[in-house]
Amino acid sequence: MKEKKAFHVNGYAALLVLVLIMIAGVWFVYQGSTTNRVGLIILAVILWGISFLFISSLTIVSPNQAKAVLFFGKYVGTIKENGLFVTTPLTQKIKVSMKVRNFNSSLLKVNDSDGNPIEISAVVVYKVVDTAKALFDVDYYLDFVEIQSETAIRHIASQYPYDTFNEDDLTLRGNTTKVSEELAKELQERLAIAGVEVIETRLNHLAYATEIANAMLQRQQARAILSARQTIVEGAVTMTQMALEQIEDGQDIQFTDDRKVQLINNLLVSIITDKGTQPVINTGDMSDNSKTGGSKS
């Protein structure tokens, strides 16, 4: 099915013409009764019948509304203009709303790409743009939009992980705008058969399922701690390397390998530890002092 324009004329002008025809019919009846001319009376009855037939085809189209016209079950077109119109007589006129609609999906439980159960829902903003497809290509387009929207949400949610610490990965939590765009694109492909245009989609709820929420929270905390520790270690190694280079370049000091290992160990411990360090002053070898301080006989 493809939408087309139905025959219609301005209702006010047509109504005026029909009233004049009915007045003419009254005049014919009067002339026929006074002159005993049956033909005039028959003509008046025909004019009245035509007038009532077209008056019954008057239809009102409100703003953001359309009316599909069917002539004995055959689709003859759609009236989208607003106002009062006269269309083909003996037709059925089906009202279709062209207003923007919101659909809020129910809370769905889906497995993401990592197999973790998550809860997700979305808001879909759409409107009908082809009345013929909406009425005749699908059984009931409102139910069709609802079912296809939830199907698309499930499919998109299963394509991406809920979260990851790799910045290059596309995730449901970290890239909601991109995911919403992908959802809108897939929905438009699914709803094109129903003559529906998807204006916008937005995720309005996203969370781990209750049965794994605590475990995934601990996992996130562990990953965060590991990532922070990795950053600290990398910084500590860089700082230690810079400290050794500056000491050796700026002073006439050459460390042995053992002293370098000891200095590196002390620097790394003092930088990486999350507690305050206590300095230890080396005053020399106590065993040597005791030997030199004793008396000889």
Side-chain angles (χ1 to χ4, degrees), residues 43-55:
L43 180 60
V45 172
I46 294 174
L47 291 177
W48 284 346
I50 294 174
S51 300
F52 282 114
L53 190 63
F54 275 94
I55 287 176

Side-chain angles (χ1 to χ4, degrees), residues 48-244:
W48 284 346
I50 294 174
S51 300
F52 282 114
L53 190 63
F54 275 94
I55 287 176
S56 66
S57 68
L58 281 170
T59 183
I60 299 174
V61 182
S62 303
N64 284 325
Q65 186 184 87
K67 290 209 174 168
V69 182
L70 277 70
F71 184 72
F72 292 101
K74 181 181 179 181
Y75 172 69
V76 295
T78 301
I79 304 174
K80 284 188 172 181
E81 300 167 7
N82 302 328
L84 178 66
F85 301 100
V86 171
T87 185
T88 307
L90 304 177
T91 54
Q92 178 186 3
K93 293 166 278 291
I94 304 176
K95 182 174 65 176
V96 181
S97 175
M98 307 294 291
K99 297 178 182 179
V100 176
R101 296 172 178 264
N102 284 326
F103 167 68
N104 190 5
S105 70
S106 58
L107 195 62
L108 307 174
K109 184 176 289 187
V110 192
N111 289 336
D112 66 359
S113 61
D114 293 335
N116 300 317
I118 61 174
E119 294 177 348
I120 187 172
S121 65
V123 174
V124 180
V125 183
Y126 69 97
K127 67 175 182 178
V128 175
V129 293
D130 192 311
T131 57
K133 291 182 178 180
L135 290 174
F136 309 119
D137 280 351
V138 294
D139 189 20
Y140 187 56
Y141 74 91
L142 293 177
D143 288 344
F144 186 82
V145 169
E146 179 179 350
I147 295 173
Q148 292 299 322
S149 297
E150 294 186 352
T151 303
I153 293 170
R154 289 182 180 275
H155 180 258
I156 290 295
S158 65
Q159 301 300 307
Y160 304 104
Y162 176 86
D163 198 5
T164 179
F165 284 94
N166 188 353
E167 296 181 356
D168 297 332
D169 292 342
L170 185 65
T171 62
L172 297 174
R173 188 181 68 88
N175 305 90
T176 54
T177 302
K178 180 65 176 179
V179 172
S180 297
E181 292 175 356
E182 291 291 331
L183 177 60
K185 181 180 178 181
E186 180 168 343
L187 259 180
Q188 186 59 67
E189 295 176 355
R190 292 174 177 267
L191 299 180
I193 190 176
V196 172
E197 176 187 356
V198 178
I199 299 175
E200 184 185 15
T201 58
R202 287 290 175 184
L203 300 180
N204 64 347
H205 179 84
L206 181 65
Y208 281 115
T210 53
E211 59 266 25
I212 67 163
N214 291 333
M216 298 310 295
L217 178 60
Q218 294 177 0
R219 181 182 176 184
Q220 287 180 347
Q221 291 174 345
R223 284 185 176 180
I225 293 173
L226 181 61
S227 178
R229 286 293 181 184
Q230 182 178 1
T231 303
I232 292 173
V233 169
E234 291 176 355
V237 171
T238 302
M239 293 173 63
T240 301
Q241 184 178 3
M242 292 174 57
L244 286 175

Side-chain angles (χ1 to χ4, degrees), residues 17-51:
V17 172
L18 294 174
V19 170
L20 292 177
I21 292 174
M22 294 179 68
I23 293 174
V26 172
W27 185 81
F28 285 145
V29 170
Y30 173 76
Q31 291 295 326
S33 61
T34 56
T35 59
N36 295 324
R37 297 175 63 180
V38 181
L40 291 177
I41 298 176
I42 295 175
L43 180 60
V45 172
I46 294 174
L47 291 177
W48 284 346
I50 294 174
S51 300

Side-chain angles (χ1 to χ4, degrees), residues 254-294:
Q254 295 295 328
F255 292 108
T256 63
D257 293 340
D258 292 340
R259 294 295 294 172
K260 282 186 178 180
V261 171
Q262 183 179 2
L263 181 59
I264 290 172
N265 178 68
N266 292 337
L267 287 173
L268 288 176
V269 169
S270 62
I271 295 174
I272 295 176
T273 183
D274 56 354
K275 297 180 180 180
T277 57
Q278 298 294 329
V280 177
I281 300 176
N282 188 358
T283 59
D285 192 347
M286 297 301 296
S287 61
D288 292 341
N289 291 338
S290 61
K291 290 181 181 180
T292 57

